[in-house]
């Protein structure tokens, strides 16, 4: 299964790292080419108070054409960045399940409006994370994702 996580912030990196660690072919889509380059070179490191730090390599890009055949998209950007994220990644979302892991309301409406054939799914998570720097995440809250 090929997954695309849109948004390299705390939650996006946390979920991307966990998907990669679970063995899924995972891409991290970033609007900023320079940051995508840093992530591709250094990977993602997850630290927490309850387990030893761990790291994974990540395929990160700002070019939607670099990613082929995603099975689903995980949208992890701040609500105010939703429209630009959809604009940058609309071709990846077409005909695919798009799982929104975002705060706020109206995010899935934006997906449905701009990519009518996407399959929007709303999710809520009890996971918490803090981005300490590019690709370095502190896993700060543990809970279910539904």
């Amino acid at each position: 299964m090929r997954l695309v996580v849109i948004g390299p912030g705390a939650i996006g990196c946390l979920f991307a790292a966990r998907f990669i660690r679970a063995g899924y072919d995972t891409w991290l889509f970033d609007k900023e080419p320079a940051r995508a380059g840093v992530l591709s070179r250094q990977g993602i490191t997850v630290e927490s108070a309850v387990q030893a730090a761990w790291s994974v390599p990540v395929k990160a890009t700002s070019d939607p054409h670099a990613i082929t055949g995603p099975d689903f998209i995980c949208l992890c950007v701040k609500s105010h960045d939703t429209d630009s994220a959809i604009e940058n990644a609309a071709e990846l979302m077409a005909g695919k399940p798009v799982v929104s892991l975002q705060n706020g309301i109206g995010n899935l409406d934006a997906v449905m409006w701009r990519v009518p054939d996407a399959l929007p799914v709303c999710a809520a998570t009890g996971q918490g994370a803090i981005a300490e720097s590019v690709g370095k995440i502190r896993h700060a809250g543990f809970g279910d994702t539904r």
Side-chain angles (χ1 to χ4, degrees):
M1 180 177 289
R2 178 166 295 150
L3 315 176
V4 178
V5 176
I6 300 174
I11 288 294
C13 281
L14 176 64
F15 274 85
R18 293 181 85 187
F19 290 148
I20 292 164
R21 196 173 193 197
Y24 294 106
D25 181 11
T26 304
W27 283 81
L28 188 55
F29 187 77
D30 189 350
K31 67 181 178 183
E32 295 183 23
R35 186 171 53 200
V38 170
L39 287 161
S40 288
R41 286 189 301 279
Q42 78 180 23
I44 299 170
T45 299
V46 179
E47 300 173 342
S48 80
V50 298
Q51 68 185 58
W54 52 278
S55 298
V56 293
V58 65
K59 296 178 282 190
T61 187
S62 61
D63 178 6
H65 299 104
I67 305 168
T68 58
D71 293 298
F72 84 83
I73 312 297
C74 193
L75 188 57
C76 297
V77 299
K78 300 285 187 197
S79 286
H80 60 81
D81 288 330
T82 299
D83 286 337
S84 64
I86 295 167
E87 184 176 319
N88 291 335
E91 64 191 76
L92 294 172
M93 296 178 178
K96 306 296 180 196
V98 178
V99 179
S100 172
L101 279 168
Q102 302 171 267
N103 288 330
I105 58 173
N107 298 310
L108 289 181
D109 291 336
V111 172
M112 291 186 293
W113 177 255
R114 299 182 121 210
V115 189
D117 63 340
L119 307 168
V121 178
C122 190
T125 187
Q127 300 296 313
I130 300 164
E132 300 203 338
S133 61
V134 174
K136 295 198 189 302
I137 306 305
R138 177 155 309 279
H139 191 183
F142 299 84
D144 292 339
T145 300
R146 299 173 190 252

